[in-house]
Amino acid sequence: MWLIALAGFAALAVVSYPPSWHVSRGLITIAHEGGHALAAVLTRRRLHGIRLHSDTSGVTLTRGNPRGLGMIVTAGAGYVAPSLLGFGAAWLTAAGYITLLLWGVLALLACMLLMIRNAFGVISLLATGGAVFAVSWFTEPKVQAVVAYAAVWFLLLGGVRPIVELQRKRRRGRAPDSDADQLARLTRIPGTFWVALFLLVSVAALAAGGWLLVDLPAVLPAAFGSG
């Protein structure tokens, strides 16, 4: 249990400290753009490519009805994708499916690699996939578990911060074409509503994922000395 808590505090430190966040934020961008891409495929939009940039931004290019439900779902999937992925990973980790989680991540990265359209994006995915493969193939199960817990905490915590940053940029007029503002134009519902919805989903995923990781139903009785 202390290792799980330590992994959580380590992930929180990485997300909270600006220099480390600037370096690691690209991993959240991979999940963000992957969410757009998956939503586009599921809504039968044509996926033309994904670009990842060195400033940790990214773009997913799709083609189809510019105002339909598919476009709304695709635009709305990005900011919640890291948190939802983190929740799914928390469920697998808590259930003991560490190896399945690692190989599932590798499969998702491989699928995403096929759609990358710039050199930096290719390098980013190969580096990330190489690290995951090394952990899954060359380390012991205990090491895999620690890495998995840290990665899940990072996704859950790291999924919240970009949403807060988004709203700050919107207040300063620095994000006129953000996902939230695109959704506002598509639905005529204010962008602030969409930011709040993104934040609600991410915080809920963090709470639920944390509950699974820490196994609170078992921890609380033990902490109070009851059955």
Side-chain angles (χ1 to χ4, degrees):
M1 186 58 63
W2 69 268
L3 280 176
I4 296 173
L6 183 61
F9 282 118
L12 180 61
V14 170
V15 172
S16 302
Y17 186 52
S20 60
W21 172 243
H22 179 72
V23 173
S24 61
R25 194 184 191 280
L27 299 174
I28 298 298
T29 301
I30 291 174
H32 179 113
E33 300 304 331
H36 283 312
L38 180 60
V41 171
L42 293 177
T43 57
R44 298 187 178 182
R45 293 182 62 81
R46 283 179 286 178
L47 180 61
H48 279 259
I50 302 169
R51 292 178 178 270
L52 303 173
H53 304 134
S54 58
D55 63 354
T56 72
S57 66
V59 61
T60 299
L61 306 173
T62 67
R63 182 172 295 177
N65 187 344
R67 301 198 62 86
L69 179 61
M71 185 63 194
I72 294 173
V73 173
T74 300
Y79 275 100
V80 299
S83 297
L84 294 179
L85 179 61
F87 173 72
W91 182 84
L92 288 173
T93 302
Y97 299 116
I98 306 295
T99 302
L100 177 62
L101 170 62
L102 295 174
W103 284 96
V105 170
L106 284 175
L108 292 174
L109 290 173
C111 291
M112 195 172 175
L113 183 62
L114 297 175
M115 300 306 301
I116 290 292
R117 296 295 182 262
N118 67 326
F120 183 83
V122 171
I123 294 172
S124 298
L125 288 187
L126 288 178
T128 304
V132 174
F133 176 78
V135 170
S136 65
W137 194 260
F138 297 110
T139 64
E140 298 179 355
K142 290 182 180 180
V143 176
Q144 294 178 14
V146 172
V147 172
Y149 275 108
V152 172
W153 278 120
F154 175 75
L155 284 171
L156 292 171
L157 293 165
V160 177
R161 179 163 178 173
I163 302 171
V164 177
E165 294 175 342
L166 169 64
Q167 185 58 20
R168 289 175 181 170
K169 291 181 179 179
R170 293 183 70 251
R171 287 176 181 173
R172 300 170 185 170
R174 294 170 52 192
D177 294 320
S178 69
D179 294 350
D181 292 284
Q182 291 183 41
L183 286 165
R185 290 191 287 270
L186 288 168
T187 63
R188 298 184 181 180
I189 299 174
T192 304
F193 167 84
W194 293 106
V195 175
L197 182 61
F198 296 159
L199 187 60
L200 177 63
V201 172
S202 294
V203 171
L206 172 59
W211 181 281
L212 289 172
L213 291 177
V214 179
D215 192 14
L216 288 178
V219 170
L220 291 179
F224 288 98
S226 59

